[in-house]
PDB file of all heavy atoms in Angstrom:
ATOM      1  N   GLU A 142      23.670  22.839 138.833  1.00 97.00           N
ATOM      2  CA  GLU A 142      24.666  23.603 139.574  1.00 97.00           C
ATOM      3  C   GLU A 142      25.874  22.721 139.901  1.00 97.00           C
ATOM      4  O   GLU A 142      25.714  21.547 140.241  1.00 97.00           O
ATOM      5  CB  GLU A 142      24.056  24.123 140.888  1.00 97.00           C
ATOM      6  CG  GLU A 142      22.807  24.979 140.732  1.00 97.00           C
ATOM      7  CD  GLU A 142      23.124  26.444 140.450  1.00 97.00           C
ATOM      8  OE1 GLU A 142      24.317  26.818 140.466  1.00 97.00           O
ATOM      9  OE2 GLU A 142      22.164  27.211 140.206  1.00 97.00           O
ATOM     10  N   ARG A 151      20.322  26.665 147.186  1.00 98.00           N
ATOM     11  CA  ARG A 151      20.922  26.431 145.874  1.00 98.00           C
ATOM     12  C   ARG A 151      20.597  25.006 145.464  1.00 98.00           C
ATOM     13  O   ARG A 151      21.374  24.072 145.652  1.00 98.00           O
ATOM     14  CB  ARG A 151      22.445  26.681 145.880  1.00 98.00           C
ATOM     15  CG  ARG A 151      23.077  26.491 144.484  1.00 98.00           C
ATOM     16  CD  ARG A 151      24.489  27.029 144.394  1.00 98.00           C
ATOM     17  NE  ARG A 151      24.537  28.455 144.628  1.00 98.00           N
ATOM     18  CZ  ARG A 151      24.152  29.394 143.742  1.00 98.00           C
ATOM     19  NH1 ARG A 151      23.729  29.038 142.546  1.00 98.00           N
ATOM     20  NH2 ARG A 151      24.210  30.657 144.050  1.00 98.00           N
ATOM     21  N   GLY A 152      19.404  24.851 144.946  1.00 98.00           N
ATOM     22  CA  GLY A 152      18.980  23.540 144.484  1.00 98.00           C
ATOM     23  C   GLY A 152      19.371  23.370 143.020  1.00 98.00           C
ATOM     24  O   GLY A 152      19.903  24.280 142.386  1.00 98.00           O
ATOM     25  N   GLU A 280      20.884  36.307 147.133  1.00 98.00           N
ATOM     26  CA  GLU A 280      20.179  36.863 145.967  1.00 98.00           C
ATOM     27  C   GLU A 280      18.795  36.216 145.896  1.00 98.00           C
ATOM     28  O   GLU A 280      18.664  35.055 145.530  1.00 98.00           O
ATOM     29  CB  GLU A 280      20.979  36.588 144.683  1.00 98.00           C
ATOM     30  CG  GLU A 280      20.309  37.148 143.449  1.00 98.00           C
ATOM     31  CD  GLU A 280      20.977  36.708 142.132  1.00 98.00           C
ATOM     32  OE1 GLU A 280      22.191  36.415 142.117  1.00 98.00           O
ATOM     33  OE2 GLU A 280      20.266  36.664 141.115  1.00 98.00           O
ATOM     34  N   ARG A 320      13.983  29.422 147.009  1.00 98.00           N
ATOM     35  CA  ARG A 320      15.109  29.957 147.772  1.00 98.00           C
ATOM     36  C   ARG A 320      14.623  30.893 148.880  1.00 98.00           C
ATOM     37  O   ARG A 320      15.245  30.980 149.944  1.00 98.00           O
ATOM     38  CB  ARG A 320      16.078  30.704 146.847  1.00 98.00           C
ATOM     39  CG  ARG A 320      17.227  31.338 147.591  1.00 98.00           C
ATOM     40  CD  ARG A 320      18.196  32.068 146.674  1.00 98.00           C
ATOM     41  NE  ARG A 320      19.031  31.136 145.907  1.00 98.00           N
ATOM     42  CZ  ARG A 320      19.995  31.532 145.083  1.00 98.00           C
ATOM     43  NH1 ARG A 320      20.252  32.820 144.933  1.00 98.00           N
ATOM     44  NH2 ARG A 320      20.718  30.649 144.415  1.00 98.00           N
TER      45      ARG A 320
HETATM   46  P1  ATP B 501      22.899  32.700 141.638  1.00 85.34           P
HETATM   47  O1  ATP B 501      23.808  33.892 141.461  1.00 85.34           O
HETATM   48  O2  ATP B 501      22.497  32.481 143.055  1.00 85.34           O
HETATM   49  O3  ATP B 501      23.433  31.469 140.967  1.00 85.34           O
HETATM   50  P2  ATP B 501      21.497  33.497 139.330  1.00 85.34           P
HETATM   51  O4  ATP B 501      22.000  34.888 139.223  1.00 85.34           O
HETATM   52  O5  ATP B 501      22.156  32.461 138.518  1.00 85.34           O
HETATM   53  O6  ATP B 501      21.533  33.044 140.886  1.00 85.34           O
HETATM   54  P3  ATP B 501      19.018  34.246 138.054  1.00 85.34           P
HETATM   55  O7  ATP B 501      19.272  33.691 136.706  1.00 85.34           O
HETATM   56  O8  ATP B 501      19.177  35.693 138.288  1.00 85.34           O
HETATM   57  O9  ATP B 501      19.915  33.416 139.116  1.00 85.34           O
HETATM   58  O10 ATP B 501      17.578  33.700 138.527  1.00 85.34           O
HETATM   59  C1  ATP B 501      16.602  34.445 139.243  1.00 85.34           C
HETATM   60  C2  ATP B 501      16.498  34.015 140.693  1.00 85.34           C
HETATM   61  O11 ATP B 501      16.336  32.596 140.831  1.00 85.34           O
HETATM   62  C3  ATP B 501      17.743  34.308 141.507  1.00 85.34           C
HETATM   63  O12 ATP B 501      17.773  35.653 141.908  1.00 85.34           O
HETATM   64  C4  ATP B 501      17.600  33.346 142.674  1.00 85.34           C
HETATM   65  O13 ATP B 501      16.780  33.927 143.678  1.00 85.34           O
HETATM   66  C5  ATP B 501      16.886  32.156 142.062  1.00 85.34           C
HETATM   67  N1  ATP B 501      17.848  31.050 141.825  1.00 85.34           N
HETATM   68  C6  ATP B 501      18.821  30.993 140.891  1.00 85.34           C
HETATM   69  N2  ATP B 501      19.488  29.833 140.952  1.00 85.34           N
HETATM   70  C7  ATP B 501      18.912  29.121 141.962  1.00 85.34           C
HETATM   71  C8  ATP B 501      19.159  27.839 142.516  1.00 85.34           C
HETATM   72  N3  ATP B 501      20.124  27.048 142.041  1.00 85.34           N
HETATM   73  N4  ATP B 501      18.363  27.419 143.539  1.00 85.34           N
HETATM   74  C9  ATP B 501      17.393  28.204 144.020  1.00 85.34           C
HETATM   75  N5  ATP B 501      17.117  29.429 143.539  1.00 85.34           N
HETATM   76  C10 ATP B 501      17.857  29.892 142.516  1.00 85.34           C
END
Side-chain angles (χ1 to χ4, degrees):
E142 303 276 355
R151 182 167 298 285
E280 181 189 333
R320 177 179 286 183

